[in-house]
Amino acid sequence: MTRRTEWPGSPAEPGGGPDGPEFVDGPTDGSAYEPGTGRGARSGRRSRGGADAGGGFGEGAGRRARSTTRSSGSPSSSRAEQGEPRDRRDKGEPRDPVEQARNICLRLLTGTPRTRKQLADALRKREIPDEAAEEVLARFEDVGLIDDAAFAGAWVESRHHGRGLARRALVRELRTKGVEPSVIDEAVGQLDADQEEETARELVARKLRSTRGLDRDKRLRRLAGMLARKGYGEGMALRVVRQALEEEGEDTEGLDEPF
């Protein structure tokens, strides 16, 4: 009687030969058989069901084949172990510096605008060549992704109405962002003296209640100091605070001197 051995884990294929279903009798990863087993190397000739033309394997061959399957692993792991070339990125080969600069700038611009100097500093920090950085920055300016004038205008609008900053503080902040002086002057020029003083009054009115119970001089220093930190001049700060204290019934005699 001829005994056929199914390859472990391999499903039978329907519609086999005359003796019934045929079975896959060889390792699925294409491994060669071990020498000296009497079975020889892979012949490359397979029947319709995938078995070698020489017939099925015996029990010993099945055990050796199972062992081969376990040791060989998946085809991909075998290639990695044999040191086949990987993707160029995995090997750490340098990419196009212009592409790198473009990707860095796009990431930094996602969600928040930035000045040209901020982006240039970021590219320099990442050791992007100056020529590649300049090419990308110029292109971004051409298409409007970098616009220092628009940045400065939006900054003044947001920081003045949101934080109550005066022109002097806004100029200082925009300088640290690398905005050109002429662009800064144009941006802060949208705030006139009357609007600036009105904002100062609103700031003092919000802070005034928390100073009640303190003596007059301490209230003056606290309120005027708050305005000074936001960039308001000494004269305007003193005038606004004095008027606010007078409205609360405080005696402001002698408060004309600088604080």
Side-chain angles (χ1 to χ4, degrees):
M1 177 182 297
T2 301
R3 180 172 51 188
R4 289 171 305 184
T5 303
E6 295 186 20
W7 187 258
S10 300
E13 294 185 6
D19 294 331
E22 295 182 24
F23 301 93
V24 177
D25 289 313
T28 58
D29 61 356
S31 303
Y33 307 144
E34 294 183 11
T37 61
R39 299 297 178 181
R42 229 175 5 178
S43 66
R45 300 192 306 272
R46 294 188 178 274
S47 66
R48 184 175 51 171
D52 285 346
F57 296 115
E59 293 182 359
R63 286 194 296 271
R64 284 191 296 271
R66 287 195 294 271
S67 174
T68 303
T69 303
R70 295 192 190 99
S71 62
S72 64
S74 65
S76 60
S77 64
S78 298
R79 288 195 296 269
E81 291 172 0
Q82 295 170 9
E84 291 186 7
R86 298 176 298 174
D87 186 86
R88 285 185 299 176
R89 293 186 181 180
D90 292 340
K91 294 173 65 176
E93 294 184 4
R95 298 165 56 192
D96 179 10
V98 173
E99 179 188 352
Q100 287 183 296
R102 184 185 300 111
N103 291 339
I104 291 170
C105 289
L106 288 174
R107 284 199 305 269
L108 292 174
L109 289 170
T110 300
T112 179
R114 296 178 190 269
T115 66
R116 181 187 174 109
K117 183 178 185 301
Q118 286 178 305
L119 294 174
D121 289 345
L123 295 178
R124 191 176 301 111
K125 184 177 180 181
R126 289 163 174 79
E127 299 182 350
I128 300 297
D130 291 342
E131 183 177 351
E134 179 62 30
E135 178 180 341
V136 171
L137 293 174
R139 176 58 179 164
F140 274 38
E141 280 187 321
D142 289 343
V143 299
L145 291 175
I146 300 176
D147 189 338
D148 282 3
F151 176 93
W155 187 270
V156 168
E157 179 74 13
S158 173
R159 299 288 281 176
H160 178 74
H161 294 289
R163 298 290 301 278
L165 299 186
R167 286 177 290 185
R168 186 166 59 183
L170 294 169
V171 168
R172 184 168 58 248
E173 288 187 342
L174 288 172
R175 283 176 179 169
T176 65
K177 305 293 183 184
V179 181
E180 293 292 330
S182 60
V183 177
I184 294 176
D185 292 341
E186 183 178 354
V188 298
Q190 62 183 285
L191 297 177
D192 57 32
D194 291 340
Q195 183 177 355
E196 197 174 45
E197 184 166 336
E198 179 61 27
T199 301
R201 294 183 188 281
E202 293 173 358
L203 291 170
V204 170
R206 291 201 296 263
K207 186 75 173 178
L208 194 64
R209 183 175 181 179
S210 64
T211 65
R212 290 171 185 166
L214 303 176
D215 63 72
R216 186 197 65 176
D217 291 344
K218 186 172 288 188
R219 296 184 80 187
L220 171 67
R221 288 193 299 271
R222 184 166 297 184
L223 294 169
M226 178 266 297
L227 292 178
R229 289 189 296 274
K230 292 182 177 293
Y232 292 90
E234 186 178 277
M236 177 185 291
L238 181 60
R239 182 172 64 255
V240 169
V241 172
R242 179 178 178 176
Q243 291 174 352
L245 293 177
E246 286 177 349
E247 291 175 0
E248 286 210 337
E250 287 275 11
D251 181 9
T252 60
E253 185 178 354
L255 291 183
D256 293 331
E257 298 178 1
F259 55 89

